[in-house]
Amino acid sequence: MQIEVLKSKIHRAVITEANLNYVGSLTLDEELMEAANLIEHEKVQIVNVNNGSRIETYLIKGKRHSGVCCLNGPAARQGAVGDIVIVISYASMDFEKAKQFKPSLVFPKEGNKL
């Protein structure tokens, strides 16, 4: 049996930009992505702590050490600069393997730095 489990989480990043005139996605500092074991174009869920919205989109690699967390396209309507978000990725795996699996968890500091 296959189940979905938490693979990666960036807990309480701060939105630094919202770009409505873009094709869509979330641009995220490459350093944060690597720390959370996330890759470009990976599907993610973004949970906005400030307004309760939950959206799904994909990741775009942002400049390393920039602290960027930019909602793009329609996602830009789901948050404002300064909002706190949780970025989540899930993985499908065998039930028994899932019991042993440990997700990658990242807790950014001020400026979305590690």
Side-chain angles (χ1 to χ4, degrees), residues 22-28 33 38-46 55-61 70-75 87-88:
Y22 192 80
V23 294
S25 68
L26 175 69
T27 303
L28 201 56
M33 289 175 59
L38 295 165
I39 61 170
E40 191 165 39
H41 306 119
E42 183 171 351
K43 180 181 176 180
V44 292
Q45 183 178 59
I46 305 166
I55 60 172
E56 289 183 342
T57 189
Y58 62 93
L59 290 173
I60 292 179
K61 197 182 308 180
C70 179
L71 295 173
N72 296 306
V87 181
I88 305 166

Side-chain angles (χ1 to χ4, degrees), residues 16-83:
T16 60
E17 302 172 48
N19 184 354
L20 185 60
N21 297 311
Y22 192 80
V23 294
S25 68
L26 175 69
T27 303
L28 201 56
D29 182 322
E30 182 177 16
E31 183 179 41
L32 283 176
M33 289 175 59
E34 287 177 358
N37 195 29
L38 295 165
I39 61 170
E40 191 165 39
H41 306 119
E42 183 171 351
K43 180 181 176 180
V44 292
Q45 183 178 59
I46 305 166
V47 181
N48 188 319
V49 174
N50 293 74
N51 66 22
S53 74
R54 297 175 79 91
I55 60 172
E56 289 183 342
T57 189
Y58 62 93
L59 290 173
I60 292 179
K61 197 182 308 180
K63 183 178 176 186
R64 182 180 293 278
H65 306 297
S66 66
V68 68
C69 180
C70 179
L71 295 173
N72 296 306
R77 296 275 191 211
Q78 302 301 314
V81 172
D83 281 1

